[in-house]
């Protein structure tokens, strides 16, 4: 079984930065699409960024790409999300997702693509 463990969420002031970490455990084949999503109560889960573990192709939501950057540690099946210039509207639960043995492709931001989800890590930005 694949287990995703997120960390790094915190409470910060507007303009601050955070780096989120998601460690994937239990992969037998270290390849697949891993992604970050975020969700606030009453709204749909929103794709933030994705990366193909094994190839390095990266994808970012257009509205966030200037401030958020996904990266990966292939050998450790770990992804990161660098959050810069955080704003109050970025306040959300941030989730890690994985699609085992799948490329990311054009559907990277579709939550139904992903088989595995972490429990989330909370990011709170105050103004």
């Amino acid at each position: 079984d694949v287990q995703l463990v997120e960390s790094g969420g915190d409470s910060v002031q507007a303009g601050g930065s955070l780096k989120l970490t998601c460690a994937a455990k239990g992969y037998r084949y270290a390849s697949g699409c891993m992604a970050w999503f975020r969700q606030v109560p009453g709204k749909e889960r929103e794709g933030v960024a994705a990366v193909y573990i094994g190839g390095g192709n990266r994808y970012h939501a257009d509205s966030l790409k200037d401030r958020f950057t996904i990266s990966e540690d292939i050998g450790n099946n770990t992804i990161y999300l660098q959050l810069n210039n955080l704003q109050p509207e970025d306040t959300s639960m941030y989730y890690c997702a994985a699609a085992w043995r799948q490329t990311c492709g054009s559907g990277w931001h579709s939550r139904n693509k992903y088989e595995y989800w972490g429990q989330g890590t909370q990011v709170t930005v105050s103004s």
Side-chain angles (χ1 to χ4, degrees), residues 10 13 18 24 29 34 40 49 55 57 60 74 77 81 84 93 96 100 113 118-119 123:
D10 206 348
Q13 298 181 70
L18 289 171
Y29 180 63
M34 296 184 67
V40 298
N57 293 333
H60 296 84
I74 296 174
N77 286 330
L81 186 67
N84 292 328
M93 186 74 75
C96 181
W100 192 31
K113 173 183 179 67
Q119 79 286 354
V123 172

Side-chain angles (χ1 to χ4, degrees), residues 42-115:
K43 296 185 67 177
E44 294 291 321
R45 193 164 295 190
E46 173 189 19
V48 174
V51 60
Y52 177 62
I53 303 300
N57 293 333
R58 298 178 177 86
Y59 306 83
H60 296 84
D62 288 341
S63 62
L64 303 173
K65 64 183 180 181
D66 292 338
R67 298 187 293 118
F68 295 179
T69 304
I70 193 169
S71 59
E72 73 281 356
D73 179 344
I74 296 174
N76 290 311
N77 286 330
T78 299
I79 63 169
Y80 308 91
L81 186 67
Q82 180 67 46
L83 311 175
N84 292 328
N85 191 23
L86 283 161
Q87 301 299 311
E89 58 264 33
D90 298 317
T91 295
S92 185
M93 186 74 75
Y94 285 73
Y95 296 92
C96 181
W100 192 31
R101 297 183 180 179
Q102 298 182 45
T103 58
C104 298
S106 61
W108 70 267
H109 50 69
S110 298
R111 68 178 188 175
N112 291 336
K113 173 183 179 67
Y114 299 92
E115 304 169 85

